[in-house]
Amino acid sequence: MGTDMTLRSAFAAALMLVTALPVQAQLKVFACEPEWAALVQELVPDAQLTTATSHLQDPHYIEARPSLIAAVRRADIAVCTGASLEAGWLPMLLERASNPDIQSGRPGLFFAADHAQLHAPHDHVDRSMGDVHPEGNPHVHLSPDQLPEIARALARQLGDVDPEAAAAIQGRYIRWRGDWNRLRSEWRDRAEAIEGQSVVVQHSNYLYLLRWLGVDVAADLEPKPGLPPSASHLSGLLAEPGLADASAILVASYQDPQPAEWLAEQTGLPVIVVPGTVTGDASTETLGGLIGEIIGQLESVRSGATHGSL
Amino acid sequence: MYSRVLPFWLAPLAVMAAVNVSANELNPDVSVTLDGYYKQNDTALSHRDQGFGLGHTELSLSAPVDDLFSARLTTVFEEHDGESEVLIEEAYLQTNGLPFALNVRAGRFLSQVGYLNGRHLHEDDFVERPAVYRALLGSHYYDTGARLNALLPTPFFWQVGAEAFAGDQLSEGEEDIGVFTVNTRLGGDISLSQSWQLGLSWLRNRHAKNADTGDGAHDHEEEEDHDHSHGAAYTGEDLYIADLVWKWSPNGNTRDQQLTLSGEYLYADEPNQFAASGDTNEGWYVSGVYQFAPQWSAGLRYGEVDLLEAHGDHFHSQTLEETEVALSWYRSHFSTVRLQYTHQEATGFSNADNTVMVQYVMSLGAHGSHGY
């Protein structure tokens, strides 16, 4: 009889759990890149997040893996960059997952690039130019001026998907926006010291931030956007006149460090390896932290240069 | 509440996205795939003749039709013995996001049985499909029909699907629905750097009983020559396929390095009306492809096939063992140049041989995203 009671109460508990689930259901979010997962986390801290890529992966080249298809199937909203960054895998994920909520034109699909002014859009693009996105440079997550608009649009769209939480999300957006403005004025002050510096880059990942900081691009290790650095292109770079004024080589942690190291050996320039997006480490866990970290790295080569260590 | 938000709205208004919609965007995506090769010697069960030749030249148009439907048309140009042919390989509509993650496809399309069959030929890592695919599926089996797929709401990937086809692309027959298939696929990640997928498929060929039984004449040369790409040269009433794929990349960064191991086993019973209970066609392959740099990959594949060639009321047994080594270079995501060596050992095939092949695959225009 005791067993019977236990069974019955267990059954009742299970029933309560099942009926309670839809009410307590966490918002399930599929983020294409970690930066958007971090932003969602600020706006909906209890969201159940799946992130398709990490800072160690090139977001252009992800496979539409079975685990990602299953994650899109379960999600309430997908938050991605857009502007063709995910063209090689996201359409396949959406097609295979067949999630009726996550389809283009519906609130369940958010593209950050739709809410930003992209740099260098092209009227004419052909493949001989390399992997150029006609919409413009999609790596907009490191733009201190554009992120607020993206976050605002994201907060509104998250609210559309989860109307009950809309007011709370809006409140968190306002708080985030205040923090961001404060950070941005700090970065503005710090930028004065590094303005006018120039760096060698690999791909256009950091372009928005570098332009905002007033840091020039001396050269690109990629011969054409999206093509890996070749030996002939690298040796050609040595003759680049801008190289003499460069203060560092800036590469992302998902990129093969060899080309940068080779150029460093030839030129004596320091190599800065920074994550292209947020990581699990405390200092670069948020987009604000990441931008601060990149500025810090640029500051350190600057002071290194003035001490004549080059 | 919105009054508090208002000040923040002012600045972003200035950077509102300038959406530039041109009439171009209403046109379908056009993609062209050029496939050409040079082959030193003829080989058994091959769809590519020796010398210079064009392989699978594709013109494909695709676009969303409206918010519910997408559609695709793929035509293939092929040349055999100086005669050009235009084939319709795909002409289908597909739903976008039905309730319960159901997915319907109707028209002509590639059957989803097995791992390779649903993929386009230009995505392959070797010049031709494994021998067992060439024999039992005509390299890639496509037909006119309908498909229903469901993705189950499980924490891992689990898809179930069924297809019904006219069946005439596999073997001619009287039935309106000559072929139906059932397929399930499971998959997931083992760690950040490893992922896998398992598939099980069953294809029922109701036309198999009427399959061409040959004329009984013992003229092997004729037999080899009778079919290039339409339908499969060998059949079976029930075809079972098991496939397994495992991929590894350091930190999951597929750009720099990736190792792909895949294998499939195909088993077909009852080749035709004269088949006795033990008469079967079967084969398998295992393939390892290592992309060791962003622009380079090397592949090794071994496969066997055990076949029965119909000769009137009896069969002749045939076997083919094939070892292939391929080296591919990708200038960009859109171009491939491949060097391959194929070694064949056979019984019952007069034209088995070893050969060197050089192939290019060039992709022009829109480039759809690839599957797993």
Side-chain angles (χ1 to χ4, degrees), chain B residues 20-302:
Chain B
N20 185 10
V21 180
S22 66
N24 250 346
E25 293 184 20
L26 293 175
N27 292 337
D29 286 340
V30 181
S31 71
V32 175
T33 308
L34 301 182
D35 169 354
Y37 67 89
Y38 175 79
K39 185 172 177 181
Q40 179 199 12
N41 299 314
D42 265 328
T43 50
L45 283 176
S46 176
H47 298 155
R48 292 179 190 245
D49 301 332
Q50 85 175 61
F52 284 106
L54 293 179
H56 212 68
T57 306
E58 277 179 22
L59 171 65
S60 189
L61 304 173
S62 64
V65 177
D66 50 31
D67 59 339
L68 183 62
F69 296 109
S70 302
R72 173 183 286 273
L73 169 69
T74 305
T75 53
V76 175
F77 304 92
E78 285 193 349
E79 207 176 47
H80 290 296
D81 307 322
E83 278 185 41
S84 300
E85 295 174 293
V86 180
L87 307 170
I88 296 178
E89 189 173 288
E90 291 177 309
Y92 65 80
L93 65 88
Q94 171 157 316
T95 58
N96 305 324
L98 291 182
F100 310 109
L102 292 174
N103 193 313
V104 173
R105 191 178 274 201
R108 174 167 293 184
F109 53 92
L110 292 158
S111 169
Q112 63 185 349
V113 294
Y115 173 61
L116 286 177
N117 197 71
R119 298 166 70 89
H120 289 116
L121 289 173
H122 64 255
E123 296 173 43
D124 287 8
D125 296 304
F126 296 87
V127 178
E128 287 199 272
R129 290 268 152 102
V132 63
Y133 259 75
R134 289 167 1 231
L136 292 176
L137 291 164
S139 276
H140 57 319
Y141 169 52
Y142 57 87
D143 211 334
T144 313
R147 170 198 292 175
L148 176 67
N149 273 356
L151 194 57
L152 303 179
T154 44
F156 52 93
F157 173 80
W158 188 7
Q159 179 187 280
V160 291
E163 297 167 321
F165 289 115
D168 294 327
Q169 297 285 332
L170 206 53
S171 22
E172 300 274 343
E174 296 296 309
E175 303 282 352
D176 285 342
I177 299 177
V179 166
F180 61 85
T181 78
V182 183
N183 164 279
T184 188
R185 240 174 257 285
L186 296 151
D189 292 343
I190 299 169
S191 65
L192 184 63
S193 45
Q194 299 176 63
S195 56
W196 62 279
Q197 179 180 276
L198 169 74
L200 296 170
S201 313
W202 171 44
L203 183 154
R204 174 82 171 183
N205 182 356
R206 298 164 80 196
H207 291 163
K209 287 264 189 263
N210 319 333
D212 186 13
T213 53
D215 53 6
H218 287 187
D219 185 349
H220 290 262
E221 294 299 324
E222 277 301 309
E223 207 66 40
E224 296 302 329
D225 223 37
H226 79 286
D227 202 333
H228 285 292
S229 64
H230 321 289
Y234 302 83
T235 52
E237 190 161 354
D238 297 289
L239 171 66
Y240 303 94
I241 309 178
D243 62 83
L244 184 62
V245 188
W246 173 84
K247 297 191 184 193
W248 170 85
S249 311
N251 298 312
N253 189 16
T254 56
R255 178 78 206 274
D256 284 348
Q257 277 182 62
Q258 186 174 41
L259 177 64
T260 304
L261 299 182
S262 58
E264 287 188 73
Y265 173 71
L266 288 82
Y267 174 95
D269 63 13
E270 306 268 343
N272 67 24
Q273 53 186 323
F274 298 112
S277 65
D279 291 340
T280 58
N281 287 317
E282 63 178 310
W284 57 273
Y285 75 90
V286 285
S287 144
V289 176
Y290 182 37
Q291 179 217 322
F292 52 91
Q295 293 177 307
W296 290 92
S297 83
L300 176 65
R301 186 170 73 190
Y302 176 79

Side-chain angles (χ1 to χ4, degrees), chain A residues 102-118:
Chain A
I102 303 181
Q103 296 290 336
S104 68
R106 296 185 204 176
L109 184 57
F110 178 87
F111 286 121
D114 291 349
H115 307 278
Q117 190 100 55
L118 299 187

Side-chain angles (χ1 to χ4, degrees), chain A residues 61 63 67 73 95 127 149 226, chain B residues 12 151 189 247 254 258 365:
Chain A
Y61 293 84
E63 279 190 303
S67 63
R73 156 80 170 97
E95 184 192 314
R127 294 257 163 73
E149 171 59 17
Chain B
L151 194 57
D189 292 343
K247 297 191 184 193
T254 56
Q258 186 174 41

